[in-house]
Amino acid sequence: MKTQTGYKYHIEQALIKNNWKIIEATICNANIWESEYWIVTTVHNPEISLYFSFNKTWQYQFSEVTISDMNASEYTRITSLYLSRGRFSKGLQKCITDLTTFRNTVTHQKVIA
């Protein structure tokens, strides 16, 4: 990511700090609802891949980052992060906690299987 300000930079830094990495980032100019998406994986288990979809509204005042499990037969929503005017209206820390819980659950399931 090139910019070092803005909500996407803060999301990226929180992911890095919590052992996630962005392996693909694509801007979607043709899609009216989705402005960008990231494919994110864990540092220690690249089999866990997540799809981050940056969704926008018509007024561009409110956005949602939807995080889904790419390994599920249908995308399963893990968590969402809401932004209003480029600021987090529901906490980034809760989103990271949800991702960590998901990663730990999947890792634990793989150990048992």
Side-chain angles (χ1 to χ4, degrees):
M1 187 147 299
K2 295 176 184 170
T3 62
Q4 294 191 6
T5 60
Y7 70 90
K8 290 179 187 174
Y9 175 77
H10 293 292
I11 294 170
E12 178 187 30
Q13 293 306 301
L15 290 170
I16 290 168
K17 181 179 175 186
N18 289 279
N19 297 313
W20 294 90
K21 65 180 177 179
I22 300 166
I23 58 172
E24 181 181 336
T26 303
I27 295 174
C28 306
N29 292 327
N31 190 331
I32 200 163
W33 296 107
E34 182 180 55
S35 61
E36 185 171 344
Y37 72 85
W38 295 349
I39 305 297
V40 177
T41 189
T42 64
V43 171
H44 303 296
N45 185 356
E47 292 179 16
I48 300 173
S49 296
L50 303 179
Y51 182 83
F52 278 56
S53 176
F54 293 85
N55 304 306
K56 57 191 173 190
T57 63
W58 286 106
Q59 293 81 21
Y60 302 102
Q61 300 289 326
F62 173 80
S63 298
E64 177 185 12
V65 183
T66 304
I67 299 123
S68 303
D69 179 8
M70 291 183 62
N71 300 314
S73 57
E74 295 181 17
Y75 284 146
T76 303
R77 181 179 287 199
I78 297 166
T79 190
S80 293
L81 180 62
Y82 300 95
L83 299 107
S84 179
R85 300 184 200 278
R87 298 185 185 266
F88 302 114
S89 59
K90 290 197 176 181
L92 177 57
Q93 186 55 49
K94 181 185 179 329
C95 177
I96 295 297
T97 300
D98 291 345
L99 293 176
T100 302
T101 301
F102 172 78
R103 178 180 55 209
N104 293 344
T105 302
V106 169
T107 302
H108 181 70
Q109 289 173 352
K110 289 184 183 267
V111 170
I112 290 175

